[in-house]
Amino acid sequence: MATLLALAREHLGLSIPEARQKDLSAAAVREESPGLSHGRLNERRALLTRQYVKQMLSAPMAAVNLLRHAMTAIDFGGKVVHLEQDALAFAVDGRIHVTEIKSFACIDGQADPEKASATVRQAAVYVLSLQNLVESLGASRDAVDTRVLVVLPENLTFRAIGVVVDVEMQVRRLRRQLAAVPRVVDILDGVPPGTSLPAAPGDGALAEQVQSARALAREALSHLPPRFGDGCVSCPLFKSCREEASDQSLVTRLGNAVAGLCGGVTTINAALDLSTGRRQPANASEAAVAEMLVRSANAFAYALKVG
């Protein structure tokens, strides 16, 4: 803990004379409140997290200043999803700071790009959920710092180093993506009454039966908005949804990374029009996407010319 406090003081500039910590892990809370089911345990942990965060904001000098394994929540399409944070939350002077501790090493100043990107995305989810929590308590979301301290082992040793990453852009993007997730009731409203999926053909079904079932399933699902993405590869409807995304020239056909960068620009044609100036941005978000696309197009053209 002393090492962690030293890194927080050094990299985040926090004045932390001592750690007054509270462990809200499943094991710790179950020990205090035995007999709770899994669902009730998560609710209890979320309630405790809310209580401690409220104290952190209202009376920082008397409250705990370090939460371990807090339980927060986000709204995903109208459904509350609990998040077990493996991060730590420091509270100093009424402001909350997130710290992530990871086991992959930082070798010669460089960490594994894929693991580092996953850590940034994960931290953004934690920051957003904490922002939502403090807003529900009547505080500003600015009470949660978007600068995240990531603690890693250095050069395959047991010596820990800290790296500060600002996840503000990722949090904004995630907030926008969550706002676009349709609610289940809204999805059902768009499905005509009597719509049903056909029975799955058996192992010995004829090719004609399989084709017929596939066509009926595609017709039933055509009433729903496409939500194609990288995570769809293992889904039995992958090919159908991929074809639909291709037919509609959706940027999701190019992968989640591209779709995330394009934000509210959902079609490839619209993105190309923004990059060439054939379409004027309708808002600040589209203006930012257009600027990024123009830079990328210029860089690509320069690379072709030099190459």
Side-chain angles (χ1 to χ4, degrees):
M1 188 57 66
T3 300
L4 183 61
L5 292 176
L7 290 173
R9 296 186 189 110
E10 175 186 354
H11 295 282
L12 295 177
L14 302 181
S15 176
I16 314 173
E18 61 178 353
R20 302 184 300 276
Q21 58 180 303
K22 179 63 179 179
D23 185 1
L24 295 179
S25 64
V29 174
R30 183 175 284 114
E31 185 176 345
E32 295 178 357
S33 304
L36 292 178
S37 64
H38 178 73
R40 293 297 301 275
L41 180 64
N42 285 345
E43 293 175 359
R44 176 64 177 167
R45 294 174 63 196
L47 177 61
L48 289 173
T49 299
R50 181 181 180 87
Q51 292 174 347
Y52 282 111
V53 168
K54 183 177 181 178
Q55 294 171 11
M56 287 175 162
L57 297 174
S58 60
M61 297 304 295
V64 299
N65 60 3
L66 174 59
L67 283 182
R68 299 171 55 191
H69 304 292
M71 177 70 75
T72 55
I74 57 173
D75 183 295
F76 188 84
K79 181 179 180 180
V80 175
V81 179
H82 287 104
L83 304 172
E84 180 174 6
Q85 302 201 16
D86 61 1
L88 304 174
F90 280 107
V92 179
D93 298 329
R95 199 151 193 249
I96 297 175
H97 309 266
V98 173
T99 299
E100 279 269 16
I101 302 176
K102 293 298 182 182
S103 60
F104 60 90
C106 182
I107 301 176
D108 295 331
Q110 299 292 324
D112 183 285
E114 185 176 345
K115 293 180 180 178
S117 296
T119 298
V120 170
R121 292 193 299 270
Q122 186 179 34
V125 175
Y126 294 158
V127 169
L128 182 141
S129 65
L130 282 169
Q131 286 182 341
N132 291 346
L133 176 56
V134 301
E135 282 188 318
S136 71
L137 292 170
S140 168
R141 67 175 61 164
D142 292 335
V144 181
D145 195 350
T146 58
R147 295 177 306 143
V148 175
L149 173 63
V150 181
V151 179
L152 304 170
E154 183 181 26
N155 296 332
L156 304 178
T157 68
F158 290 107
R159 181 177 181 273
I161 60 171
V163 179
V164 175
V165 181
D166 195 334
V167 297
E168 180 180 8
M169 182 179 67
Q170 287 82 1
V171 169
R172 290 183 178 180
R173 183 183 303 158
L174 178 61
R175 193 176 295 279
R176 183 178 64 244
Q177 291 171 336
L178 287 174
V181 174
R183 301 170 66 88
V184 174
V185 292
D186 296 331
I187 294 176
L188 293 178
D189 287 342
V191 178
T195 301
S196 62
L197 291 172
D203 294 336
L206 300 176
E208 293 80 2
Q209 294 174 313
V210 174
Q211 285 295 109
S212 176
R214 182 176 295 143
L216 291 173
R218 180 174 297 182
E219 173 62 24
L221 294 172
S222 66
H223 301 290
L224 303 177
R227 302 292 299 178
F228 184 73
D230 294 349
C232 298
V233 176
S234 60
C235 176
L237 299 172
F238 170 72
K239 291 184 178 179
S240 176
C241 293
R242 182 180 60 181
E243 291 174 5
E244 185 177 13
S246 296
D247 293 341
Q248 298 182 25
S249 296
L250 300 179
V251 293
T252 52
R253 180 64 180 85
L254 304 177
N256 287 355
V258 175
L261 289 173
C262 289
V265 182
T266 58
T267 67
I268 296 174
N269 291 336
L272 292 175
D273 289 345
L274 283 172
S275 68
T276 58
R278 290 194 298 265
R279 168 177 167 173
Q280 294 301 312
N283 50 48
S285 176
E286 287 195 359
V289 173
E291 182 181 354
M292 176 195 66
L293 291 173
V294 169
R295 289 200 308 269
S296 300
N298 291 338
F300 182 69
Y302 178 77
L304 290 178
K305 181 179 178 180
V306 173

